[in-house]
Amino acid sequence: MKIAFLTLGCKVNSYETEKMKQQFEERGHEIAAFQEKADVYVVNTCTVTNIADRKSRKMLRRARNRNPEAVIVAAGCYVDSGGKQDPADGSVDIFLSNKEKLQLVELVEQAWADKQERGAEAVRCGGNMERSITEAARQEEHTRSYLKVQNGCNQYCSYCIIPFVRGPLESRRPEEVLREAASLAQQGYQEVVVTGIHLSSYGVDLEQATDRITADRFLELEGRPLLQLLSGLNQIEGLARIRLGSLEPRIITPEFARALSRISKICPHFHLSLQSGSDRVLQRMNRHYTAEEYLEKVELLRRYFDHPAVTTDIIVGFPQETEEEFQETCDFVKKAGFAKIHVFKYSRRRGTAADRMEGQLSQQAKGERSDRLLKLGAELEQHYQSWFAGRTEQVLWEEITEIGDKKYLMGYNERYVRIGMETEGNPEDISLCNTIGNVRIVGQIVPGVLSGDPIERQETINKKK
Ligand code: SF4
């Protein structure tokens, strides 16, 4: 069978898609691009906003139009949030919850066999077996791999449906994670990105029944289970870098930051979701920190790491957000000096507290605020990156990319800044992909992408040898 996948949403979804792909390949099936005609289409859906729901439905219909005879699978959060009942999804053959994703191969093979037997009659089904994710994932890019260590969230931010659809906190046992990481290193991956739905809660459920875990349990444990896991990962031979997925700001304490800074392979790149720089908005969002407390966390990271890249997510146009509150966010991001900001226009999500709030803002107001914050974010990114001028940076080379009429060997440094080195595309340079080399930063190729001095190429090649 030819199977095509499309992933919407978060890094955890990307990880799980790779798992599913790997299972199909192991059974001898062929993976196709989503644009191609395939026998099976799997849309790994997202439900974080109403727009995400709409996109999930649109992609399922698109798959059905591409091949009316295909088996169409809707998997993941959209299904868990009730998408199964939506009459608009008449095109779907298999609905698969998050917990059933690893059952997909058997269900699809069964559905495919049924289709052959009974023509175009849809085979509507869904598994119910729970399986934990235990095997190594193979990612599309072969330099960096996601490593999912945790599922579920109990924070209940007022705009988010995830705690209702991803189920209770569930951490993978450390020995299982370490086994997977070792296998990834053996396959040649140099970097892992440790991810989870609420990564800071990693391990809080390993010693305690899930229904007794409070939202602040990770604070009581001072992030120790996560630190222990990271220390274990640090020992794995062949793994050069450990990058962290999104962290809850409150986990950063002096002890946590100090312990983290002693783990040598940790990349000094920290994604702490801010969401708003206004305390009133943060309260309405049910985020459990103030802007001032958040800033203290950023300063702590700067005390223990040299020029760390602190990146963040911000939602603009949250219900009742006044111009003054939005301005507080703009002032705050300047003060925090972020390396990069991901800006999201607030999008209503049925079933959440924020959706029921009065004072929903117009699309125009949200768009206008988003533009202003994006502009500010670009200035901050430029300022953050100016620090690298003239410095020698270690780059994990990933690919050859064309920008304008030039070719570049492209990769990321530890602080997740994209860096390119000019190349003719010769085999020697191509062979550098998935190696780490040194370059001196000499300028900028385009905004957000720095250029490395080609004089250092020889040094890079030597390092590979
Ligand atoms: S921390 Fe908040 S935004 Fe993140 S998954 Fe949990 S509820 Fe959603």
Side-chain angles (χ1 to χ4, degrees):
M1 275 185 292
K2 245 187 180 184
I3 328 283
F5 284 84
L6 182 80
T7 310
L8 302 172
C10 64
K11 284 179 180 152
V12 170
N13 255 10
S14 303
Y15 173 91
E16 289 170 353
T17 295
E18 291 307 318
K19 286 288 201 189
M20 291 189 274
K21 274 187 190 174
Q22 190 180 2
Q23 287 192 327
F24 276 101
E25 282 179 327
E26 280 165 8
R27 296 278 279 244
H29 300 299
E30 188 188 335
I31 305 298
F34 196 74
Q35 297 72 21
E36 281 178 42
K37 188 173 178 191
D39 302 314
V40 180
Y41 291 90
V42 181
V43 181
N44 199 358
T45 60
C46 175
T47 191
V48 72
T49 62
N50 287 352
I51 291 173
D53 271 357
R54 271 207 295 280
K55 193 160 180 193
S56 298
R57 288 196 290 270
K58 192 170 147 191
M59 291 302 133
L60 289 162
R61 284 194 211 102
R62 187 168 292 175
R64 170 59 70 217
N65 291 340
R66 209 155 274 156
N67 181 5
E69 306 301 321
V71 174
I72 310 291
V73 183
C77 289
Y78 171 66
V79 176
D80 281 342
S81 71
K84 196 170 179 173
Q85 280 81 44
D86 199 313
D89 287 331
S91 55
V92 177
D93 295 317
I94 298 177
F95 291 95
L96 208 67
S97 72
N98 278 305
K99 292 207 160 163
E100 295 163 347
K101 279 178 180 171
L102 292 186
Q103 237 186 312
L104 180 62
V105 182
E106 293 141 45
L107 290 169
V108 163
E109 284 176 346
Q110 184 60 51
W112 180 249
D114 287 353
K115 275 213 166 193
Q116 303 308 301
E117 234 175 71
R118 297 192 269 140
E121 190 187 334
V123 187
R124 293 177 182 272
C125 55
N128 58 10
M129 199 169 80
E130 289 185 21
R131 278 195 205 171
S132 62
I133 296 168
T134 55
E135 295 154 34
R138 190 178 57 72
Q139 307 293 318
E140 270 167 23
E141 32 176 77
H142 296 273
T143 52
R144 181 183 314 115
S145 175
Y146 295 122
L147 184 61
K148 182 184 159 187
V149 302
Q150 180 276 340
N151 207 354
C153 179
N154 63 355
Q155 297 298 306
Y156 293 94
C157 300
S158 66
Y159 51 85
C160 182
I161 197 78
I162 297 294
F164 304 99
V165 301
R166 275 268 171 185
L169 295 174
E170 189 184 1
S171 304
R172 294 175 63 195
R173 299 216 67 88
E175 56 275 16
E176 190 185 300
V177 176
L178 297 179
R179 239 192 338 266
E180 173 170 1
S183 157
L184 290 168
Q186 264 170 18
Q187 291 168 52
Y189 289 95
Q190 308 247 14
E191 180 178 316
V192 288
V193 186
V194 182
T195 61
I197 297 292
H198 191 251
L199 180 60
S200 301
S201 284
Y202 173 76
V204 300
D205 53 314
L206 291 176
E207 308 298 339
Q208 196 173 6
T210 310
D211 56 355
R212 303 222 317 270
I213 296 172
T214 63
D216 283 351
R217 182 65 183 148
F218 71 98
L219 294 177
E220 291 159 22
L221 293 178
E222 297 168 335
R224 279 191 300 273
L226 181 60
L227 287 169
Q228 277 162 11
L229 182 76
L230 297 172
S231 299
L233 289 172
N234 205 48
Q235 308 296 320
I236 290 177
E237 216 177 302
L239 214 56
R241 291 177 176 179
I242 303 167
R243 197 176 294 283
L244 288 170
S246 185
L247 283 179
E248 153 88 43
R250 291 180 299 156
I251 199 172
I252 314 288
T253 59
E255 295 73 31
F256 185 86
R258 192 181 309 117
L260 203 60
S261 70
R262 291 183 179 147
I263 302 174
S264 59
K265 294 177 186 171
I266 288 285
C267 292
H269 167 206
F270 303 100
H271 188 82
L272 309 182
S273 285
L274 169 68
Q275 306 305 11
S276 172
S278 155
D279 289 345
R280 291 183 302 278
V281 177
L282 285 172
Q283 223 169 15
R284 294 201 292 278
M285 289 177 164
N286 197 30
R287 303 285 289 180
H288 306 278
Y289 52 84
T290 62
E292 200 188 316
E293 282 161 354
Y294 181 101
L295 199 58
E296 282 167 19
K297 310 300 185 187
V298 174
E299 280 159 7
L300 266 175
L301 289 171
R302 293 200 172 121
R303 194 182 308 159
Y304 287 98
F305 293 88
D306 186 24
H307 197 61
V310 182
T311 59
T312 200
D313 297 331
I314 296 182
I315 297 174
V316 296
F318 191 75
Q320 300 161 28
E321 185 188 64
T322 62
E323 174 57 31
E324 190 195 345
E325 287 167 341
F326 174 67
Q327 196 51 53
E328 283 174 43
T329 295
C330 294
D331 294 342
F332 184 86
V333 300
K334 282 189 238 168
K335 216 181 327 172
F338 290 112
K340 196 174 186 70
I341 304 173
H342 301 272
V343 179
F344 298 90
K345 288 180 255 183
Y346 169 73
S347 168
R348 298 176 78 159
R349 182 63 186 81
R350 238 185 354 251
T352 60
D355 182 48
R356 296 189 291 275
M357 287 178 187
E358 287 178 3
Q360 301 284 337
L361 271 72
S362 68
Q363 283 306 330
Q364 193 190 343
K366 289 184 217 174
E368 191 254 333
R369 287 182 188 174
S370 165
D371 290 347
R372 279 161 64 192
L373 198 56
L374 282 168
K375 188 162 172 274
L376 191 52
E379 287 165 15
L380 290 174
E381 185 176 351
Q382 185 83 10
H383 182 258
Y384 175 78
Q385 293 191 356
S386 64
W387 181 83
F388 295 96
R391 288 176 189 265
T392 299
E393 287 297 300
Q394 287 203 328
V395 185
L396 173 53
W397 299 116
E398 293 190 354
E399 57 181 1
I400 306 274
T401 307
E402 273 186 47
I403 299 180
D405 54 1
K406 289 186 179 153
K407 283 190 182 138
Y408 296 90
L409 181 60
M410 206 56 94
Y412 287 88
N413 69 357
E414 291 172 317
R415 293 169 177 82
Y416 211 60
V417 175
R418 199 154 187 240
I419 296 172
M421 179 168 78
E422 228 180 297
T423 174
E424 298 296 322
N426 47 313
E428 207 172 52
D429 283 356
I430 292 170
S431 74
L432 291 179
C433 289
N434 203 24
T435 67
I436 294 177
N438 293 324
V439 289
R440 183 154 303 119
I441 302 303
V442 292
Q444 186 181 259
I445 299 168
V446 289
V449 184
L450 300 180
S451 61
D453 191 341
I455 296 166
E456 302 294 320
R457 180 180 282 110
Q458 199 52 47
E459 202 178 300
T460 307
I461 293 166
N462 289 342
K463 186 166 174 79
K464 197 190 171 205
K465 289 173 188 163

